[in-house]
């Protein structure tokens, strides 16, 4: 019995090689069409950006296309299979639109590939400069406190003195800082010891006075989303140390930096300081991937505030080592002559002996830029 004739025996049989050659040609045609589609989609993305529509995703438009595709589907693929393929195309198209959009960001390495290296009165930060230390008390409290701290740190080779004159306290009844008197004191003491002075500015109305006294303006974590303040420090001609917000995504942090650059100030130092998570054994969770990502995606210097990241002294050394290992351009650490009597953050500041131990442990990493 020979049975029914098969499809094979009825039709002229083409070889697999021959069929594959046809598939190869179809692939090339599909690729040409896909590329053409990509170019048109990129133009749509550009038009959306110009219209000020940062969200390029349009589910209604995608749905409309899927319905039409389903109704026109001639087979042999099922509608589900064809729809899945088109959904992948939409996803890749959206990624293309958004990545083209990101390319325009001034903070991006795609716009400026080489590292930004700040040179503030001879103190170099970022790029091939050795990692820097920013140290000093949480709050400026008295002349004696600032004098002792600056003298100690300057003798240890620290070039940037920090100290808060305006304090963003959780409670409105907590110590709010010395204000202008603190600014004057901090800048004078820093100058006397050949150091730069960095201090936080919290209010657009204070940017001018803070810029008059400080060498670097700090925008704190709680103000990272204060867009008016970001614009104002962007207009000032002082370098800005921008801390990452308590619950800010990396993207939000980089957009905050973009606000400053977009006003014409390209001297921005990013500072990772830990983010809020469910973890309770540390005050915040140090996000080391954010440091590595910020270094990859932007050309700006990135430093790590280990004091706020940990909220506990016993973790400062390992966290600082880890930060430098992932490429941080510096470490920010709080140092106070007598942490127990400090008016703020007394759980986490280092005393002088603690700082000695801290800097000794890091000395090998601080001398050389990591990776060189
Ligand atoms: C291209 C557009 O943007 C996105 C990509 C789409 C696509 O690839 O067809 C459709 C909708 C949007 O999510 C558009 O809005 O038309």
């Amino acid at each position: 019995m020979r049975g029914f004739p098969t499809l094979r025996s009825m039709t002229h049989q083409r070889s697999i090689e021959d069929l594959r050659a046809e598939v190869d040609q179809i692939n090339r045609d599909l690729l040409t069409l896909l590329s053409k589609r990509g170019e048109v989609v990129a133009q749509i993305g550009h038009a959306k950006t110009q219209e000020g529509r940062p969200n390029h995703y349009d589910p209604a438009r995608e749905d409309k296309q899927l319905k039409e595709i389903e109704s026109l589907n001639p087979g042999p693929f099922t509608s589900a299979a064809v729809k899945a393929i088109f959904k992948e195309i939409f996803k890749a198209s959206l990624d293309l639109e958004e990545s083209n959009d990101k390319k325009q960001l001034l903070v991006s390495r795609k716009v400026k590939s080489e590292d930004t290296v700040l040179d503030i009165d001879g103190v170099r930060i970022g790029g091939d400069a050795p990692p820097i230390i920013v140290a000093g008390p949480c709050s400026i409290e008295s002349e004696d406190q600032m004098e002792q701290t600056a003298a100690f740190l300057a003798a240890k080779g620290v070039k940037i003195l920090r100290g808060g004159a305006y304090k963003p306290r959780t409670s409105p009844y907590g110590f709010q800082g010395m204000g202008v008197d603190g600014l004057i004191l901090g800048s004078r003491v820093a100058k006397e010891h050949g150091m730069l002075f960095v201090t936080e500015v919290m209010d657009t109305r204070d940017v001018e006075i803070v810029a008059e006294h400080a060498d670097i303006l700090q925008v704190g974590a709680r103000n990272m989303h204060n867009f008016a303040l970001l614009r104002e420090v962007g207009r000032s001609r002082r370098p800005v140390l921008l801390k990452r917000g308590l619950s800010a995504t990396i993207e939000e942090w980089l957009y905050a930096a973009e606000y400053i650059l977009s006003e014409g100030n390209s001297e921005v130092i990013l500072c990772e300081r830990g983010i809020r998570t469910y973890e309770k054994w540390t005050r915040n969770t140090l996000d080391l991937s954010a440091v590595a990502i910020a270094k990859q995606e932007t050309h700006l210097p990135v430093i790590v505030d280990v004091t706020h990241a940990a909220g506990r002294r016993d973790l400062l050394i390992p966290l600082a080592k880890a930060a430098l290992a992932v490429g941080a351009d510096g470490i920010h650490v709080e140092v106070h002559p007598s942490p127990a009597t400090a008016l703020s953050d007394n759980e986490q500041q280092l005393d002088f002996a603690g700082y000695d131990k801290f800097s000794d442990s890091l000395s090998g990493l601080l001398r050389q830029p990591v990776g060189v």
Side-chain angles (χ1 to χ4, degrees):
M1 280 265 292
R2 293 200 139 224
F4 291 107
T6 61
L7 194 62
R8 255 170 151 228
S9 62
M10 280 166 59
T11 54
H12 167 68
Q13 167 121 28
R14 290 172 65 194
S15 70
I16 289 179
E17 284 72 37
D18 188 28
L19 291 164
R20 282 184 173 168
E22 189 175 347
V23 166
D24 287 342
Q25 186 51 48
I26 293 170
N27 285 348
R28 287 191 280 270
D29 293 345
L30 279 174
L31 195 59
T32 306
L33 281 171
L34 269 179
S35 301
K36 199 167 156 193
R37 190 183 194 282
E39 269 158 29
V40 178
V41 159
Q43 287 179 43
I44 296 177
H46 189 60
K48 284 182 192 166
T49 304
Q50 281 187 328
E51 276 179 20
R53 290 163 56 185
N55 184 9
H56 289 197
Y57 179 50
D58 187 341
R61 165 72 183 147
E62 293 191 10
D63 200 45
K64 189 165 172 271
Q65 292 180 82
L66 289 177
K67 288 212 169 78
E68 190 188 32
I69 287 158
E70 190 170 13
S71 71
L72 294 175
N73 179 20
F77 290 117
T78 62
S79 287
V82 173
K83 277 162 75 175
I85 292 167
F86 272 88
K87 276 186 190 165
E88 279 302 317
I89 294 175
F90 296 160
K91 188 171 168 291
S93 302
L94 194 60
D95 286 350
L96 183 72
E97 278 183 49
E98 289 181 342
S99 74
N100 280 352
D101 208 25
K102 279 211 184 76
K103 263 185 218 156
Q104 311 305 323
L105 290 188
L106 296 168
V107 296
S108 168
R109 271 209 195 272
K110 288 175 189 142
V111 167
K112 177 175 180 274
S113 60
E114 70 280 12
D115 288 326
T116 290
V117 183
L118 273 58
D119 186 334
I120 315 170
D121 293 339
V123 178
R124 296 174 74 245
I125 308 168
D128 60 352
I132 47 123
I133 293 280
V134 179
C138 176
S139 303
I140 297 174
E141 296 165 6
S142 70
E143 174 147 14
D144 192 36
Q145 169 231 24
M146 287 308 283
E147 180 52 42
Q148 278 190 52
T149 313
F152 168 76
L153 291 172
K156 300 283 162 191
V158 175
K159 295 268 181 266
I160 309 179
L161 179 69
R162 64 142 287 122
Y166 300 94
K167 298 307 299 173
R169 302 305 299 283
T170 304
S171 161
Y173 309 117
F175 173 60
Q176 304 287 307
M178 285 176 69
V180 179
D181 289 343
L183 294 177
I184 296 169
L185 180 57
S187 76
R188 178 171 59 74
V189 170
K191 219 168 260 130
E192 278 167 13
H193 292 277
M195 301 168 94
L196 302 175
F197 175 49
V198 55
T199 195
E200 177 166 357
V201 55
M202 300 206 302
D203 192 312
T204 50
R205 293 167 297 186
D206 297 329
V207 171
E208 206 178 316
I209 180 96
V210 178
E212 214 175 281
H213 296 284
D215 300 290
I216 304 171
L217 306 178
Q218 178 181 314
V219 173
R222 286 165 186 76
N223 270 309
M224 193 213 80
H225 291 291
N226 183 341
F227 301 117
L229 183 64
L230 295 172
R231 283 204 191 281
E232 203 57 39
V233 297
R235 285 184 209 121
S236 85
R237 290 294 161 257
R238 287 279 184 215
V240 179
L241 192 159
L242 175 65
K243 291 215 176 177
R244 181 178 179 190
L246 277 66
S247 305
T249 63
I250 298 170
E251 188 168 86
E252 288 165 343
W253 185 32
L254 301 189
Y255 271 120
E258 186 72 14
Y259 265 90
I260 302 171
L261 268 77
S262 71
E263 291 295 333
N265 188 351
S266 57
E267 298 201 305
V268 174
I269 305 162
L270 295 168
C271 181
E272 157 64 29
R273 44 81 71 205
I275 48 173
R276 276 202 171 155
T277 67
Y278 47 79
E279 183 50 60
K280 290 183 181 159
W281 284 15
T282 51
R283 176 167 163 180
N284 293 291
T285 298
L286 175 58
D287 185 1
L288 286 173
S289 356
V291 179
I293 291 175
K295 289 290 299 174
Q296 268 179 40
E297 295 290 319
T298 82
H299 48 82
L300 300 171
V302 183
I303 69 169
V304 170
D305 172 357
V306 285
T307 301
H308 289 94
R312 41 190 281 188
R313 291 186 197 97
D314 57 343
L315 294 183
L316 296 177
I317 292 170
L319 292 188
K321 284 182 177 170
L324 294 172
V326 293
D329 298 295
I331 300 292
H332 177 287
V333 62
E334 287 185 353
V335 178
H336 190 286
S338 165
T341 58
L343 295 177
S344 55
D345 276 4
N346 48 7
E347 293 292 307
Q348 58 194 39
Q349 303 192 61
L350 283 178
D351 61 12
F352 294 169
Y355 181 80
D356 270 337
K357 207 170 147 220
F358 178 79
S359 72
D360 286 350
S361 310
L362 299 180
S363 60
L365 294 167
L366 291 174
R367 239 171 274 126
Q368 276 282 332
V370 175
V372 172

